[in-house]
């Protein structure tokens, strides 16, 4: 099972987006998103939902967040 940040990075790069691109779409600072991807900060449900919408992942990130929160 992939950690949330690893999954976020994989989905973001697969969508062809830089951290700055995604940060503009979800209204979070790119440095904060970088910390999430590296596992330095924990994700939030609001961030997971926003990234799911921006990346059109069908809820994959919310599911990953819920797994992370349940650990």
């Amino acid at each position: 099972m992939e950690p949330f940040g690893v999954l976020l990075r994989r989905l973001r790069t697969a969508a062809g987006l830089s951290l700055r691109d995604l940060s503009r779409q979800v209204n979070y600072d790119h440095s904060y998103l970088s910390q999430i991807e590296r596992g330095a900060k924990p994700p939030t449900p609001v961030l997971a939902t926003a990234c799911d919408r921006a990346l059109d992942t069908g809820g994959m990130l919310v599911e990953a967040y819920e797994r992370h929160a349940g650990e």
Side-chain angles (χ1 to χ4, degrees), residues 13-55:
T13 57
L17 296 175
S18 70
L19 274 171
R20 288 184 190 273
D21 294 335
L22 182 59
S23 73
R24 283 190 285 273
Q25 290 186 27
V26 297
N27 295 315
Y28 281 88
D29 188 82
H30 70 279
S31 63
Y32 176 71
L33 292 180
S34 175
Q35 291 175 332
I36 298 290
E37 286 188 353
R38 290 182 284 118
K41 294 261 184 188
T44 66
V46 173
L47 173 72
T49 300
C51 290
D52 265 335
R53 285 189 193 124
L55 298 171

Side-chain angles (χ1 to χ4, degrees), residues 2-13:
E2 264 180 320
F4 182 90
V6 173
L7 177 61
L8 176 59
R9 179 179 292 132
R10 184 170 60 77
L11 294 170
R12 175 182 59 76
T13 57

